[in-house]
Amino acid sequence: MTTRLFPSRRTAVGFLLVMALTVGFLGAARAPQAAATGAGSAYVPVTPARLLDTRTAGPGGSDLPLGEGATLSLQVAGRDGLPSDPSQLTSVVLNVTIVNPTASSFLTLYPDGSTRPITTNLNFTAGQTTANMAIVPVSTANGTVAVYNKNGTTDLLVDVAGYYTPAAAGASTYDTVASTRILDTRNGTGETNGTPAPVGVGATLPVTVEGVAGVPTTGVTAVVLNLTSAGSTLGSFLTAYPDGTTRPSTSSLDFAAGETAANLVIVPLPANTTQIDIYNRNGTTDVVADLFGYYTSGTGATFVPVSPTRMLDTRTAGTGGIDAPLSANTPLKLQITGVDGVPADSSSVTVTAVVLHLTVVNPTDASFLTAYPDGTGRPITSNLNFSSGQLISNLVIASVGPDGAVDVVNKFGTTDLVVDISGYYSS
């Protein structure tokens, strides 16, 4: 099988498992126009905690897999550091992992009690273990979110990383940085003495984030990273957490032996902490971390959710107006401001970043996608890695260019692309 490499400053190594899904498992190809669902909210990181594990009767209270066409109501308000008053809980940041699915399927997360959108949050194949981060609005009636599974049955793990609140006191705002690779164990970037070395079994790798790549040295409460594993010798998981704290019993990225896998994470950074730790459970694996932004107690952008909307589907000209796959090294411009519930920039509003769910369908080659602000140079970072024929997705918090647009570029071959939008940051 031909493999392609996600970008590295000096070298690149990647092996991608072929886990093809049929196009139908993406959900519908059209979506209604969305509207913003509230005013800007600030972010509060919490100690990562497991809200649900259907493999046991512990967290979440359910010990049964999620069935075909079934919807699970998950209580989030009042749990593990989240406010008990739903009015103070605009959206919640979750890491969602599926285990032992019996069929190719997808999950959709949305406010419990509302109409389920046609968008997806996590796509997977039978037998796969994989995870995606999701930023999900919370039901104002009872503080719950709904989790829908399309096909087959699957066990489900849900970890919480933080929440958005309209209350300003003690909350943080978001600042973007130029996308930067701050760790690459394949070539020594970000490692002690710059010596290349994979992360071993049960080992923890400290990574400096404050004072790096535009992140301030004070006032930082959390950082936004895309974590990628490559060349793993065993199936395992990574956990990213603040240095100097107890490692939580949650996971940030799950992967199979030999798989190149990626996931977006928001890692809290308590006061007087300049580093995060990345823990590997089994075997050895190279780890790459790309930095996209940070949360601060100072002045920055607030988050506004929109009704989840499919803004592009290159399989049909009816969604996004493009009906041709992405070719290699040809950036696709996505207009963000002024469409799908996102306001146009004005004297009172500046959109700085957008929350997108990117899904590739039927790629002809192993490759990767990079999302970056239109009108700027393409960075060496990656947002989504995939193999030929694979259907896979990842959440992206992408900085918006001065013209209100984001570019998405595919490195090798061709691939169809589906883009769902769920919110934006504005100042």
Side-chain angles (χ1 to χ4, degrees), residues 249-286:
S249 59
T250 56
S251 60
S252 304
L253 172 63
D254 296 80
F255 47 91
E259 181 182 11
T260 297
N263 196 24
L264 192 71
V265 297
I266 300 178
V267 187
L269 204 65
N272 303 316
T273 302
T274 62
Q275 294 181 317
I276 64 168
D277 289 340
I278 300 175
Y279 165 83
N280 173 46
R281 180 69 177 92
N282 300 313
T284 65
T285 186
D286 280 306

Side-chain angles (χ1 to χ4, degrees), residues 189-214:
T189 298
E191 292 194 271
T192 302
N193 300 323
T195 303
V199 184
V201 56
T204 300
L205 176 67
V207 181
T208 299
V209 291
E210 278 199 351
V212 174

Side-chain angles (χ1 to χ4, degrees), residues 190-236:
E191 292 194 271
T192 302
N193 300 323
T195 303
V199 184
V201 56
T204 300
L205 176 67
V207 181
T208 299
V209 291
E210 278 199 351
V212 174
V215 178
T217 57
T218 60
V220 179
T221 59
V223 291
V224 177
L225 303 167
N226 197 62
L227 289 185
T228 305
S229 65
S232 54
T233 60
L234 291 174
S236 184

Side-chain angles (χ1 to χ4, degrees), residues 8 43 69 194 250 419:
S8 168
Y43 183 68
T250 56
V419 181

Side-chain angles (χ1 to χ4, degrees), residues 46-54 56-62 72-82 89 92-96 109 138 143 145 156-162 249-250:
V46 300
T47 301
R50 181 143 292 171
L51 295 178
L52 175 71
D53 186 344
T54 63
T56 71
S62 174
L72 180 146
S73 178
L74 178 63
Q75 182 70 39
V76 294
R79 299 183 59 193
D80 295 298
L82 304 182
L89 192 56
V92 64
V93 177
L94 304 173
N95 193 61
V96 182
L109 285 76
V138 177
V145 299
L156 182 64
L157 284 64
V158 180
D159 300 332
V160 62
S249 59
T250 56

Side-chain angles (χ1 to χ4, degrees), residues 10 13 20 48 99 104 110 114 121 136 183 252 277 290 310-311 325 343 383:
R10 292 206 308 248
V13 179
V99 182
S104 297
Y110 58 101
S114 66
N121 295 97
V136 189
L183 174 70
S252 304
D277 289 340
D290 295 331
R310 183 143 294 171
M311 66 183 307
N383 296 97

Side-chain angles (χ1 to χ4, degrees), residues 20-33:
L21 277 171
T22 61
V23 172
F25 295 126
L26 265 175
R30 291 180 181 269
Q33 195 76 0

